[in-house]
Amino acid sequence: MTIHADHSAPETAVDDSAADVRTKFGISVEDYMLPARHQIQMVNPDGTLRSQDEQGTEPGHEYPTPGDAELMAAYEQLVVGRRVNDQNSALVRQGRMAVYPSSHGQEACQVAAAMCLSEGDWLFPTYRDAVAVMTRGVDPVEVMTIFRGDWHGGYDPTEHKVGIQCTPLTTQLLHAVGVAHAAKLRGENTVVMAMCGDGATSEGDFHEALNFAAVFHLPVIFFVQNNKYAISVPLSHQSVAPSLAHKAVGYGMAGERVDGNDLVALLAVMDRAVKLARDGSGPLLIEAHTYRMQAHTNADDATRYRPDSEVAEWQAKDPLARMKSYLTDKGLLDAAASERITSHAEAVATQLREGLGEDVPVQPLDLFKYVFAKQTPQLKEQSELLASELARAESANGTDNSGTESAK
Amino acid sequence: MTVTTSANGTTTANVSAATASAAASAAATAEATGPQSLTMAKALNTAMADAMRNDPSVLVFGEDVGMLGGVFRITDGLMAEFGEQRCFDTPLAESGIVGMAVGMAINGMRPAIEMQFDAFAYPAFEQIVSHVAKMHNRTKGKLKMPMVIRVPYAGGIGGVEHHCDSSESYYAHTAGLKVYTPATVADGYRMLREAIDSDDPVMFMEPKKLYWSKDQVDLGALRAEHDAGTSTEGRAAVARPGTDATLIAYGPSVPTALAAAAAAAEEGRSLEVIDVRTLVPFDDETVCASVRKTGRAVVIAEAHGFASVSSEIVARVQERAFHYLAAPILRVTGFDVPFPSPKLEHYYLPSVDRILDAVDDLQWED
Ligand SMILES: Cc1ncc(C[n+]2csc(CCOP(=O)(O)OP(=O)(O)O)c2C)c(N)n1
Ligand SMILES: [Mg+2]
């Protein structure tokens, strides 16, 4: 199924893609591309399931409820993610981590973004998406190394097919497009999840990435976590579009918006998006409505730009409490399961605390080691200069652990 | 539903109280006369407020510069005092910010815009290099670009990736851009006022690690200096006089050079420290006069040494003062590696020891 717009020759274009969509969903191409009139929501904030009616299903926007096993596995990751977020914030307060942009409140998005993917797929995260990276299977200590300040990265992207956590906003979206394009050329059936925030949708690279993915008809899912703020700047300063999901249609792809604190709805929407993309729909854009419960990072003071009452409002929509009461009511989550999950989360937190608490020596000469695949004479010379400084310092201190100094 | 969040309508009590108190404190600083203890951050903030009071065409915009007052609080209180028409947050797009500033400058405004961090200015590079730097030239002076692009830059704050970059050489290398970088609190005020007054585009490079450095300054005297038209452009300062060798530094490296000179003095060596102040235009005269006097020089910069401002300085001085030199001019710069992570940063940055080593290498036995 190929969906494209051909403005020059609408009558003569071989528009079988549009025909496909019309047959598949019984709707027009525009209606397929436009998000539903409301955000997709399956579980109420109090944990009760919304009826099919309340879900307000529209043709082309029907979503089956995910299976029990998937829900339970996702819930477990949700609990782990929350524990890790709060653990890391504590480590920052204790000075054991340099910085941590917490996704507290956004964990449902984090979990869904990673869990909807298969092993061969790729994930392109931002600085805020550490929990998604962990959920994908990357070792938690390796994920957090960047925030401890040892090195500008800590994990091998190829091991779990997770790009580096990216800070220059939306630059990673184009990398996601490139990975998908290469996969297509190599005949691999790879779906790529490309993540960014609401504020980031204003950057030029966001628009270039969407257009490239659409024009090359690539299986990329652009996943925007709309947490309402870009540091201090509210969404109204970024966009006056009806929704961020509406941006999809301008590029010729389908958009959808979903309650980002409703893990059930998120899984349903993401699972379908992955399936569509894998089946050849081209790219999709999903906007999740959520909220950044804490400050942008520990360096930020959120009371300067948003009222406490607003934070309290979102506290009542917490993704964790909602999922817990939904699964309990459904009879899936009993005391024993709950305890097992909590102790798993504790184990991860302990692993992190111990892993990050260690005074791991940094290697100053590593500065020169990874600049190029093939070392240059100039860097060799500079490396020798630093080595001789270190040697002098060591002999002055009477120690001898060549090239290694304890982290300051 | 629309994307307009309820947050926008309800910027309530605690939020506006914060900005109001910031405005009040800005006003208090504005009124104070006589020497007072001021941070570089406050000096820059006061310079912008004064410029905005003086000239309604001066506008401040960027990311988080409004209600938040900037992530470093350099624009604190400006929105409260001058309103959202003159100090405002834009959508999050650096190319957009600079490109819009170009249009505003074409149409009678004097934008003084903020890039949030050095490494986040790169999306705007195209606008800066292709338009900001060239508009005057392409139009044979019919269009001027009276804008200031403020860039917090360089290291020393333990910043995570992309939050510490020494990007001055990219701009200095681009014909058509002036590049200022203050190293003292007073220069923060002086140079930002002059940059905003300038009809040329100025890349205003603010050393992050000096934002919270303090000094006794007399704002009244600085304002009088400004009103009298005193200029620092193209005028290096002798930050510490000396006779044996010259340390040439700018921005974040000036305090390091001064510390090295103080340490050298204890060992009986008298080092002169030059604070270059404006990289473009460069003050050949002051720098070369010092080197002719001392016969020896070390250039100090945090940026990578290769193809940089520091290499330019060495080239210019040896072209002009070759016969006065007792030793090759040496450099102490950042290594030619990507700016390191917080825990490795201090191995990379020029240090007092490294500077003293370089001074020792200036062939004193010859
Ligand atoms: C190109 C670029 N400009 C500016 C920044 C500084 N910055 C980091 S995060 C951020 C806000 C991003 O907001 P949003 O996209 O909504 O993501 P959130 O932080 O809310 O998850 C800004 C301005 C950056 N990282 N990259
Ligand atoms: Mg956001």
Side-chain angles (χ1 to χ4, degrees):
Chain A
M1 176 176 71
T2 308
I3 301 155
H4 64 232
D6 189 334
H7 304 295
S8 57
E11 299 308 325
T12 52
V14 187
D15 210 1
D16 51 358
S17 59
D20 269 2
V21 175
R22 276 197 292 270
T23 346
K24 185 159 183 182
F25 299 112
I27 53 175
S28 71
V29 187
E30 285 78 4
D31 280 340
Y32 165 74
M33 288 182 185
L34 279 168
R37 275 177 199 79
H38 55 90
Q39 60 176 355
I40 306 299
Q41 211 175 9
M42 292 184 160
V43 176
N44 291 308
D46 65 4
T48 53
L49 186 68
R50 306 190 116 201
S51 68
Q52 203 73 18
D53 271 359
E54 284 175 313
Q55 288 179 21
T57 306
E58 293 167 32
H61 301 271
E62 305 93 343
Y63 294 95
T65 315
D68 293 350
E70 186 183 359
L71 291 177
M72 281 300 284
Y75 174 70
E76 181 156 351
Q77 294 299 331
L78 192 64
V79 174
V80 172
R82 171 63 54 85
R83 185 70 187 88
V84 165
N85 271 335
D86 293 348
Q87 164 81 81
N88 287 352
S89 297
L91 289 174
V92 170
R93 284 193 296 275
Q94 295 159 18
R96 288 202 273 166
M97 252 163 112
V99 68
Y100 184 64
S102 177
S103 63
H104 185 120
Q106 303 176 214
E107 291 95 343
C109 298
Q110 297 285 304
V111 167
M115 289 196 64
C116 65
L117 299 177
S118 301
E119 212 175 298
D121 296 338
W122 271 85
L123 178 78
F124 280 84
T126 74
Y127 51 91
R128 198 174 300 289
D129 301 321
V131 170
V133 176
M134 260 178 50
T135 306
R136 180 88 178 130
V138 181
D139 178 87
V141 177
E142 289 183 9
V143 181
M144 306 311 164
T145 301
I146 187 170
F147 301 117
R148 187 171 58 180
D150 301 32
W151 196 257
H152 292 317
Y155 56 87
D156 171 0
T158 60
E159 193 182 341
H160 294 277
K161 296 189 168 16
V162 180
I164 50 168
Q165 277 190 267
C166 190
T167 303
L169 299 168
T170 66
T171 49
Q172 77 280 9
L173 303 182
L174 285 155
H175 309 163
V177 169
V179 164
H181 202 162
K184 186 174 169 179
L185 298 178
R186 290 158 59 107
E188 295 160 356
N189 198 2
T190 305
V191 171
V192 184
M193 179 69 60
M195 303 173 77
C196 73
D198 50 308
T201 64
S202 296
E203 290 281 6
D205 277 4
F206 173 81
H207 300 271
E208 296 184 18
L210 262 66
N211 196 42
F212 270 53
V215 165
F216 291 111
H217 200 71
L218 302 170
V220 181
I221 294 161
F222 296 97
F223 182 44
V224 179
Q225 289 170 85
N226 174 0
N227 63 8
K228 309 296 178 281
Y229 288 92
I231 310 186
S232 72
V233 180
L235 185 59
S236 60
H237 281 54
Q238 304 293 349
S239 174
V240 293
S243 83
L244 296 176
H246 277 80
K247 291 181 187 280
V249 67
Y251 296 100
M253 70 176 80
E256 193 71 286
R257 53 194 152 161
V258 53
D259 181 342
N261 287 14
D262 177 353
L263 184 52
V264 180
L266 273 163
L267 289 169
V269 169
M270 305 284 268
D271 284 348
R272 192 184 83 151
V274 169
K275 185 169 186 316
L276 282 173
R278 209 181 301 284
D279 291 349
S281 71
L284 299 104
L285 172 66
I286 297 168
E287 173 190 12
H289 282 271
T290 183
Y291 196 77
R292 193 194 75 211
M293 293 302 290
Q294 297 178 346
H296 175 69
T297 66
N298 46 297
D300 175 40
D301 173 10
T303 63
R304 282 178 80 103
Y305 53 81
R306 66 185 192 188
D308 296 344
S309 57
E310 184 185 288
V311 181
E313 232 172 81
W314 279 91
Q315 186 64 51
K317 301 181 194 167
D318 184 64
L320 203 95
R322 181 186 312 201
M323 193 65 178
K324 181 170 189 176
S325 96
Y326 170 68
L327 292 175
T328 309
D329 290 352
K330 218 175 170 218
L332 288 174
L333 186 68
D334 56 16
S338 200
E339 193 175 315
R340 187 186 54 73
I341 289 170
T342 310
S343 68
H344 173 204
E346 273 319 308
V348 176
T350 308
Q351 182 196 356
L352 260 176
R353 220 170 26 243
E354 286 170 359
L356 294 174
E358 275 172 47
D359 196 11
V360 185
V362 289
Q363 309 289 335
L365 296 179
D366 280 1
L367 285 179
F368 305 96
K369 225 166 144 181
Y370 306 105
V371 182
F372 295 110
K374 185 175 171 209
Q375 180 71 299
T376 64
Q378 287 75 23
L379 285 185
K380 186 163 176 290
E381 190 182 303
Q382 293 177 17
S383 176
E384 283 160 6
L385 170 75
L386 179 59
S388 75
E389 281 182 11
L390 294 169
R392 255 193 299 157
E394 275 149 23
S395 64
N397 295 341
T399 57
D400 90 318
N401 46 347
S402 184
T404 302
E405 272 203 15
S406 206
K408 296 269 159 10
Chain B
M1 70 131 253
T2 74
V3 289
T4 309
T5 64
S6 61
N8 319 312
T10 55
T11 45
T12 48
N14 57 350
V15 168
S16 43
T19 24
S21 83
S25 101
T29 310
E31 278 154 27
T33 50
Q36 57 176 319
S37 176
L38 221 61
T39 59
M40 166 90 81
K42 192 72 212 173
L44 296 169
N45 176 261
T46 308
M48 266 183 292
D50 285 356
M52 291 175 88
R53 270 179 219 123
N54 263 19
D55 179 352
S57 68
V58 175
L59 304 177
V60 168
F61 52 93
E63 294 159 6
D64 300 284
V65 299
M67 175 104 69
L68 189 66
V71 293
F72 292 105
R73 306 290 186 263
I74 309 301
T75 58
D76 202 14
L78 298 181
M79 192 178 87
E81 183 177 347
F82 301 101
E84 288 185 47
Q85 304 275 323
R86 296 190 59 202
C87 174
F88 55 91
D89 291 324
T90 63
L92 213 180
E94 295 75 12
S95 179
I97 293 166
V98 176
M100 185 166 81
V102 169
M104 285 187 155
I106 288 172
N107 204 5
M109 299 298 180
R110 305 185 84 86
I113 57 183
E114 177 173 299
M115 297 284 103
Q116 194 160 78
F117 280 88
D118 30 41
F120 302 144
Y122 301 141
F125 203 63
E126 153 112 83
Q127 287 289 345
I128 295 173
V129 172
S130 298
H131 297 301
V132 175
K134 291 181 179 162
M135 196 64 83
H136 188 269
N137 188 252
R138 283 194 64 189
T139 63
K140 294 191 168 172
K142 295 288 185 297
L143 288 179
K144 300 201 168 30
M145 282 289 115
M147 71 161 83
V148 179
I149 303 177
R150 296 182 33 250
V151 185
Y153 86 116
I157 61 160
V160 283
E161 178 153 50
H162 307 293
H163 290 74
C164 286
D165 240 11
S166 295
S167 47
E168 68 271 25
S169 298
Y170 304 131
Y171 304 120
H173 186 71
T174 302
L177 298 174
K178 288 183 171 166
V179 184
Y180 293 11
T181 181
T184 67
V185 176
D187 274 352
Y189 181 89
R190 278 189 198 109
M191 292 170 68
L192 187 50
R193 285 303 303 268
E194 185 168 358
I196 295 173
D197 288 345
S198 170
D199 280 342
D200 292 316
V202 177
M203 297 302 301
F204 197 84
M205 311 300 290
E206 301 172 359
K208 271 175 269 176
K209 76 168 189 195
L210 299 184
Y211 273 145
W212 312 114
S213 65
K214 274 193 174 163
D215 232 332
Q216 289 290 321
V217 297
D218 184 342
L219 278 175
L222 286 172
R223 288 186 177 114
E225 228 183 71
H226 168 266
D227 296 344
T230 314
S231 170
T232 46
E233 187 178 288
R235 290 196 170 85
V238 178
R240 177 186 171 114
T243 51
D244 296 341
T246 304
L247 302 181
I248 305 166
Y250 59 84
S253 298
V254 173
T256 320
L258 286 169
E266 283 176 22
E267 290 163 15
R269 214 164 246 164
S270 163
L271 304 185
E272 180 149 299
V273 177
I274 302 289
D275 172 358
V276 175
R277 300 211 284 197
T278 66
L279 308 179
V280 182
F282 187 78
D283 183 356
D284 288 310
E285 206 178 302
T286 305
V287 173
C288 291
S290 174
V291 177
R292 284 193 197 103
K293 180 176 76 178
T294 61
R296 292 178 164 87
V298 178
V299 182
I300 302 146
E302 286 191 10
H304 319 306
F306 199 88
S308 67
V309 169
S310 65
S311 26
E312 176 66 21
I313 296 174
V314 175
R316 305 187 74 79
V317 176
Q318 76 83 23
E319 282 163 0
R320 288 163 178 76
F322 182 75
H323 293 291
Y324 296 82
L325 289 171
I329 304 166
L330 298 180
R331 287 185 292 159
V332 177
T333 68
F335 297 120
D336 295 315
V337 306
F339 198 99
S341 60
K343 286 191 181 174
L344 288 166
E345 182 182 46
H346 69 281
Y347 297 105
Y348 165 90
L349 294 171
S351 64
V352 167
D353 284 345
R354 218 171 263 161
I355 295 168
L356 293 177
D357 284 352
V359 171
D360 282 343
D361 286 345
L362 291 173
Q363 303 187 7
W364 297 95
E365 311 314 329
D366 280 5

